[in-house]
Amino acid sequence: MTFTVPLGSCADPASARDLSPLFSPRAVAIIGASNDRSKYGNWISVQALRMRDHRPVHLVNRRGGPVLGEPAYRSLAEVPGPVDLAVIAVPAAGFEAAVDDCLAAGVRAIVGITAGFGELGEDGRLLQTALATRVREAGAVLLGPNCLGVLDSTSGLYLASNPLPAGSVGLISQSGNMALELSGILEDRGLGFSRFASLGNQADLGVADLVRAYADHPGTDMIAVYCEDFGDGRAFVAAAADAVAAGKPVVLLTVGGGAASARGAKSHTGALTSDSSVIDAACRAAGVDRVSSPHEMADLLHLLHRFGPAPARRVAVLADGGGHASVACDTAEAHGLSVPEFTPQLADALRNLLPPSAGVGNPVDLAGAGEQDITSFRTTLDLLLADPDVDSVLVTGYFGGYGRYGPELARAEIATARAMGEKVRDKGKPVVIHTMCADSPAADELRRQGLPVFRAVEDAARSLGLLARHALPAHPPKALPDPAPRVPDDGYWTARELVRAAGVSFPDARLVHTADEAVRAAAAIGCPVVIKALGLLHKSDSGGVALGLVGERAVRDAVTDMAVRLDSPGFCVEAMADLSDGVELIVGVRRDPRFGPVAMVGLGGVTTEVLRDVSFALAPLEPVQALEMLSGLRTAALLRGVRGRPAVDLDALAHAVAAITEVASAHPDIAELEVNPLLATPGGAQGLDARIVPIG
C-alpha cells in the first residue's frame, strides 16, 4: 500500500477547495481524444460527447483531423473560448507538458487519466507531487493521475470511461473496476450515482476533499467510498463526520487485514494494532459504516435509501416452514440482531389470526397458512410492524413460489406482494425478504415495491445487522495537542517520568547505577521493592525484573546478577505495589502513518497478547471516551467487581487512560507509548511499567 498525503487534504472545513469546475464545468476538453477503441482517450471521448447539450465539448489530438466524426484541435491553445475542465489521457511522457498547457490556458480543474507516476516508485511520486504543487499554485485542482474519470449526473457531466447509472449515491473510488462492479450491483437494486470521482493516486485532491464536496452537494444523499490509501486520515475522519452530521451516511469499503502493519511492532500495542483495527477506530470516530465487500456496500446503501437510519436490532422472523424459521433466527443473532420473544398481546393476536399449528412466539411459522390463504403473509406482517417492540422484520422461505400451483394463486400472491409493500411504506420499519424463488413474478413485485429481496437468508440477515449497527453514535476525536519537546531517550525512567508528569501515579522510585545505591534507595523507599534493569524493551522476558525484594542482601544480589547478565546501564528501584484488589490493564498509543495516534486499552500484564481483549480509538481521549472503551471490553465485569472483589475507581482509571493518550499524542517523535500494567484499584490507578518506542 503506497502512502501519500494529498496536498489538498485538510481537516479544517474552512479550507475546503472549490470543486465546482470539476463537477459543473462550463466547457470541457479531452486531451488525447482518439479514434482507437482500445484507448482511454476514445472511451472518455465517447462518453463526453453525450453531454454536448449541456456544455461545449472540445476534442484535442496532436495529429488533428476528425475524432469520432467530430473536428479535433491539435492543442488546447487552439480551442476557442475558456475551458474549465480538461481530461488528460496521453502517454506518461507527455503528461507534464499537457498539464502546463492546461494551466497556461486557464483550466481550473484537471482529470489525469494517464498512469505511470506514484504507483511506479519514488521518482514517479516526486514528479506527481511537483505537478500537483504547480496545479495548486495556479489555483486549479487535479484529480488523479492514474484515475478512471469523473461524473456528475445532476449537472450532466459524463467523463468516465464507462456509463454509470444515475441516482443519489455519491461514489469515491480508488479502484476503477470496483466502481464498475458496484455500479452493476446498485443498478440491480434500483440505485445509481449522483457523482463519481476516481481517486487514482491522490496527488492533489484526496478522499477528504471529495467527501466534503459530496456532503455539500444537494443531489447526493449517501456517500460510498472505496479507498486503499487515506493519505491524511484525520482529514478523512473530520470530513466524514461532518457529512454524517449533515444527514449523509458514509459507507466505506477498504482493504488491509493488518499483518503487514504488525511485522515491525516492538511493543504489545504494536503487536495488537493492525490496519483493520485502526480503520475501525477511525470509522467509529466519524460515524462511518464499514463494509467488507461491494455486495455488503450495495445492500446497506439499499436499506438506507429505502428506510433511512431506522432502528433494526429487534427483529421479528416470519417464515412458512420450521427449518427456515430456525435458520433465520440463528443467522440473525449471528449478525448481532436480537430475536426476542413476543409479548403475550402480540402472540395472542397472531394466534387468533393463524391456524392452531402455527408458531407465534418469534419466529412466526405460518405452518401451511400460506397455501390455505396467501394473504396471511400480509396480515401477519401488518401485526408485526404495528408492534412497538419490533424494530424490523425478516421474511424467509417460500413466498414467491406459491404462484407455481396455479394462475389464481399466482395472481393472489402478486397482489399480496403489492399489499406487503404498501404496509411497509405505511409503517416505515425495515423489512427484508429472503425467498427460495427470487426470480418469480411475486418477487419481482416485491422489488417494484422497493422491498429488498435476497436469494440467501444470511445476506438478508447481514443487511439488517449492518443497518442496526448504523444507528450507533459517532465518537469524534479530540483535537491533537500542540507538539511537545522531544524525549531525550527511550529508557524506562524517561517513559515513567513522562507519564507521571502527565498526572498518572507511579510507585515511589529511585534511579540508581550501583548495588550500593540500590541498597540505599530501597532503605529510603521501604521494602518490599522491585528492581528493574534499564535499557531493555521487554524486561520480564529477559530476566530484568526482580519482585518483592526485602533486605539489603536480596537487593544487592539482584542488582549484581542483572549487571553481570544484562550489562544494564542502570536500575530503577521501585516500591512494590499491592496487587491484591487490583486489575492489571494495558494502555498504549501507537502512531499510525495515516490516522495519527491510536489508543488501545485492554486487560494487561503478561497475558495481554494471549487474551487479546482490547479496544481501539483515535487518540487523544476524553475521560468519557476512555470509560466507553473500558466498558466495551469482554472482561469489563472485573472492573465493576466480581466474586467478592471490590470495584475499581473507574473515574480515576478513565482519567489516567486519557492522560496517557494525551501525552503520547503530543509527541510526534514517539511511535509507541505503553503503560503495562496500569493497575486499577478501588483507590485509584497506578502505572507499574512504561515503555517508549521512538519514531524510526
Side-chain angles (χ1 to χ4, degrees):
M1 184 181 297
T2 301
F3 172 60
T4 57
V5 179
L7 294 175
S9 294
C10 183
D12 180 8
S15 67
R17 301 168 71 187
D18 178 17
L19 301 191
S20 57
L22 180 65
F23 292 108
S24 301
R26 291 167 297 178
V28 302
I30 315 301
I31 303 173
S34 174
N35 287 311
D36 186 342
R37 294 184 180 181
S38 67
K39 294 183 176 180
Y40 272 96
N42 175 269
W43 306 342
I44 295 285
S45 297
V46 168
Q47 297 304 315
L49 291 175
R50 296 171 54 198
M51 60 182 178
R52 284 176 295 181
D53 292 340
H54 297 279
R55 58 182 58 83
V57 176
H58 306 293
L59 304 183
V60 179
N61 183 296
R62 61 185 176 86
R63 295 186 180 90
V67 173
L68 299 173
E70 301 290 327
Y73 301 94
R74 293 181 182 275
S75 70
L76 194 59
E78 296 179 6
V79 173
V83 172
D84 286 336
L85 171 61
V87 179
I88 302 178
V90 301
F95 185 77
E96 185 173 7
V99 169
D100 289 339
D101 289 346
C102 288
L103 299 180
V107 171
R108 299 168 60 202
I110 299 170
V111 176
I113 304 296
T114 306
F117 296 96
E119 73 275 16
L120 298 185
E122 184 62 23
D123 290 343
R125 281 193 290 274
L126 291 173
L127 176 56
Q128 73 179 25
T129 299
L131 287 171
T133 299
R134 298 217 294 269
V135 169
R136 286 177 60 82
E137 289 174 348
V141 297
L142 168 65
L143 182 66
N146 188 29
C147 78
L148 195 68
V150 65
L151 174 147
D152 189 318
S153 61
T154 66
S155 69
L157 182 74
Y158 307 110
L159 288 172
S161 60
N162 297 65
L164 300 175
S168 60
V169 178
L171 174 62
I172 304 165
S173 180
Q174 200 162 357
S175 164
N177 281 351
M178 197 65 67
L180 296 178
E181 180 182 8
L182 183 62
S183 72
I185 301 171
L186 283 177
E187 191 169 22
D188 289 343
R189 290 155 175 75
L191 297 176
F193 301 115
S194 56
R195 283 180 170 177
F196 162 64
S198 175
L199 284 171
N201 292 1
Q202 301 187 77
D204 178 31
L205 292 178
V207 61
D209 300 300
L210 293 164
V211 169
R212 288 206 179 279
Y214 286 22
D216 293 336
H217 182 225
T220 297
D221 294 334
M222 300 172 288
I223 302 172
V225 180
Y226 174 77
C227 190
E228 299 168 2
D229 181 357
F230 293 88
D232 183 348
R234 292 275 172 153
F236 168 74
V237 168
D242 287 347
V244 171
K248 299 193 177 184
V250 179
V251 182
L252 171 68
L253 173 61
T254 188
V255 293
S261 68
R263 285 180 192 144
K266 293 183 176 143
S267 70
H268 291 297
T269 301
L272 292 167
T273 306
S274 69
D275 277 359
S276 192
S277 60
V278 172
I279 293 169
D280 283 341
C283 288
R284 285 191 297 272
V288 167
D289 296 290
R290 184 179 179 186
V291 294
S292 59
S293 71
H295 278 275
E296 279 194 11
M297 175 176 274
D299 289 340
L300 178 55
L301 290 169
H302 188 190
L303 263 65
L304 288 171
H305 174 75
R306 179 64 184 81
F307 303 111
R313 187 176 159 311
R314 298 175 300 174
V315 62
V317 172
L318 169 57
D320 51 1
H324 275 113
S326 298
V327 170
C329 289
D330 284 350
T331 307
E333 291 179 341
H335 286 284
L337 298 165
S338 170
V339 189
E341 187 174 1
F342 292 146
T343 62
Q345 294 81 4
L346 178 55
D348 287 343
L350 291 167
R351 193 173 290 110
N352 293 333
L353 175 69
L354 299 172
S357 58
V360 296
N362 202 13
V364 177
D365 178 6
L366 296 182
E371 295 93 327
Q372 299 171 26
D373 180 8
I374 195 68
T375 64
S376 61
F377 280 94
R378 174 188 59 79
T379 53
T380 302
L381 181 62
D382 190 24
L383 283 175
L384 297 178
L385 291 174
D387 190 275
D389 294 324
V390 171
D391 295 328
S392 62
V393 179
L394 169 56
V395 181
T396 179
Y398 194 65
F399 187 85
Y402 292 98
R404 297 172 179 174
Y405 298 140
E408 184 176 345
L409 190 52
R411 288 191 294 271
E413 188 177 39
I414 292 172
T416 299
R418 187 179 306 114
M420 290 167 68
E422 293 169 355
K423 289 293 181 185
V424 174
R425 281 196 299 277
D426 179 54
K427 300 299 184 182
K429 291 184 178 181
V431 175
V432 296
I433 313 287
H434 157 245
T435 171
M436 302 160 57
C437 309
D439 296 323
S440 66
D444 289 341
E445 182 61 35
L446 290 170
R447 293 187 185 94
R448 279 192 290 273
Q449 296 297 322
L451 291 178
V453 177
F454 297 87
R455 298 176 184 273
V457 68
E458 57 267 29
D459 294 337
R462 186 198 65 234
S463 68
L464 271 184
L466 290 170
L467 184 63
R469 289 192 292 278
H470 173 77
L472 296 177
H475 299 273
K478 184 180 177 183
L480 291 172
D482 293 334
R486 293 179 63 89
V487 293
D489 57 65
D490 60 353
Y492 168 63
W493 187 262
T494 296
R496 86 183 294 277
E497 291 303 289
L498 180 69
V499 176
R500 193 170 69 85
V504 179
S505 172
F506 273 76
D508 189 15
R510 304 287 189 277
L511 176 62
V512 302
H513 297 88
T514 67
D516 288 341
E517 290 177 354
V519 168
R520 291 194 293 272
I525 293 170
C527 291
V529 296
V530 179
I531 304 293
K532 298 179 181 179
L534 303 182
L536 303 173
L537 188 61
H538 295 288
K539 295 180 288 297
S540 296
D541 295 344
S542 303
V545 177
L547 302 174
L549 302 178
V550 177
E552 177 180 341
R553 173 58 64 86
V555 171
R556 186 179 298 278
D557 288 349
V559 171
T560 301
D561 173 64
M562 290 182 194
V564 172
R565 287 189 299 105
L566 304 175
D567 192 26
S568 175
F571 305 89
C572 176
V573 182
E574 208 166 58
M576 182 76 180
D578 181 3
L579 308 181
S580 57
D581 285 332
V583 178
E584 294 184 42
L585 298 163
I586 179 174
V587 181
V589 179
R590 186 182 185 197
R591 190 165 291 271
D592 183 83
R594 296 165 299 170
F595 292 96
V598 180
M600 182 195 77
V601 299
L603 202 66
V606 297
T607 60
T608 295
E609 291 183 37
V610 176
L611 298 178
R612 303 183 74 87
D613 183 15
V614 291
S615 178
F616 299 90
L618 297 189
L621 303 174
E622 297 283 3
V624 65
Q625 295 171 308
L627 187 58
E628 289 172 357
M629 291 179 70
L630 292 162
S631 300
L633 297 174
R634 297 192 307 273
T635 49
L638 294 174
L639 304 176
R640 297 188 290 268
V642 292
R643 305 292 296 268
R645 293 173 62 90
V648 306
D649 186 339
L650 282 171
D651 184 63
L653 176 59
H655 277 81
V657 171
I660 294 166
T661 67
E662 183 79 21
V663 70
S665 300
H667 279 272
D669 54 312
I670 294 178
E672 298 170 24
L673 172 64
E674 181 177 287
V675 177
N676 180 30
L678 177 68
L679 183 67
T681 69
Q686 188 176 56
L688 301 186
D689 197 27
R691 65 184 56 149
I692 288 172
V693 177
I695 292 287

